Amino acid sequence: MTHIGYIIDMSRLAEKLPKEKPLFVVVDGAVGVKRDMARKFGHHEKKFALLPYHEELSCEIDARFEHIKHGLVTAVLVNEQRPALRNYIFALKTFVNTYGFRFSREDHVNLIRLLYLILVRKNQWPEIIHYSAKALEDLVNRSYLSHEELALDWEPLFNLYYGSSYGKLDEVDGSQLRNAVFRMKRFFKPTDTPKIWDRIQVHLSPRYSTKEFCDIALLFLSVKMTTKEHRKYGAGLWFDTMWKMYEVVEMGDKWGSELPNLFATLAYHNPDFMDWSSLYDTIFTRSIRAMGLSIREGKVAVGDGTGAASLSGLARMVVATLGGPYSCQLHLERMMKLIEPFMHPSNESSHTLLVLVFLQNILQELVNRYIDERIKKHKREVEERFYLTDDDIAKFTDSTLQSLLYALYVRDGTTSKAPAKLVMILGALCPGRVFPSTYPAIFAVDEPHRLTQTLDCLFELVFLIARDNDPSVKRLKMEKDWIMEMEQIRDRLSTFRCHLFYFLEMLIEGIDINDVSKANISIRNLTLIFYITPILDYSDCVKYHKDLTDEEKALCMMSARLPVLAEMALNK
């Protein structure tokens, strides 16, 4: 009995002891996201829904926002500029940076209107102006608001910016207002554009500098309108003048380098505004000059190199006019044929970096356009005939790929990594044309430094090759003899992922103790392949899974060699 009583007492004692908390917490993030979506917030951070205390945090965030909103209004009403208004503006900016637009559209519009009135108020403190401009910049950025939801008066902002940049408002730093002014012009009514243009044209007189005219025009001329509005109020008034300004500008003048961005934005959002073909000769000639290319006879420089700052805008203009009825594809092909000899390894010089910068810009803009037209929820609002087609992307790939393949052999250490990443971007857009052309460039090398650079390119492409599982993609004929022979033996293979088995054997052979750099890159490639490919013999899967395609069956049979290859890699 004593023993039984002892057991009972111990069990009661165990019940009284505090229970250990679990080491992990399961959180259903979808519940928090749905709760926030039901409140119809703007573009806000959703990562906080993964926290186990999301509901309590939401209440605290709501209370904080109400406190900031109430503090802003109170500070304005009692005219308490410092420190109250300054601190509340900074608190709002911090709130937006941390949580995004975690408030209703009505609050969003009212906050922009309030801060705008604070910004343009007469005799406002310079510090308050700077704080308001930065807060407005964050409130307007990444929002879909326009003049239809909120219309603002342009003239007070014009006077403030002009006075701070070119006038007598020395206390206000105009450079801190530029981004806010540029983003606020979306709230100007289209009918105000003629008045703005009349005010800007005054600065074309000899009394003012041309840089001053272009700076104000770029900041205050609204570009995002419908084509009908542009012809009546917008670009129909100012385009000819601005284009003529760009045609006569010399490459050394700084104010001309920003104009291509204006034309590119117009061409991207309103491709049906005009026939852009008449501009292509000037655009592509300026692109060649900006890249610092030279005429072969006598090596005479075409440009002085100072136009390199406009490469980004020129790339935007080229991509904006690709495809559609006014496509610049033929001009692009002609320019790339001109560039190809300059990118040959034997012609490496100072122009190589500029050409790579241009190619990087043009590829980045193409990816952005691809995302806008095919991936984003809010797609590009133009007629579908101006969308990029698969044929347009294929032609673009064919015209730019050869120059990038030449660039793989660049000796300059600062630029040697960029071409491989650019080839990877092209491979993601058009794998059927990039990979068959890339293999000869990767493996047909003898010099050690070139071999390591091409292996770097392979490292960038391995993941794309491994995930290529769509046999319907159009593919060029393989140029590498041994790959053609292997595919003839295994005629059921039609995708590029089967090539990983070939790469494994070559990379294992590339591990050489006498060449450390080559061995290092080979091991990096092997590690990546081992991460993305199960190193198992799954050849028996064909016996148990009857729904496999012919290619999947062939891949399963090829995997019988994987354990052997893994052992070879360890031995090396």
Side-chain angles (χ1 to χ4, degrees), residues 10-55:
M10 290 299 295
S11 62
R12 290 175 179 174
L13 180 62
E15 291 177 357
K16 294 180 180 180
L17 291 175
K19 295 182 179 180
E20 293 185 3
K21 294 183 179 180
L23 299 178
F24 59 89
V25 178
V26 178
V27 178
D28 188 358
V31 175
V33 173
K34 289 180 181 178
R35 189 188 302 120
D36 287 348
M37 290 179 64
R39 299 180 64 180
K40 297 182 179 180
F41 291 141
H43 185 83
H44 64 286
E45 293 289 345
K46 300 177 180 63
K47 60 185 179 183
F48 299 104
L50 300 175
L51 297 173
Y53 48 87
H54 175 252
E55 191 169 357

Side-chain angles (χ1 to χ4, degrees), residues 538-554:
Y538 38 92
S539 56
D540 289 340
C541 289
V542 296
K543 300 178 183 178
Y544 304 102
H545 298 277
K546 304 301 181 182
D547 56 343
L548 298 177
T549 63
D550 290 340
E551 183 187 8
E552 290 171 342
K553 291 177 181 178

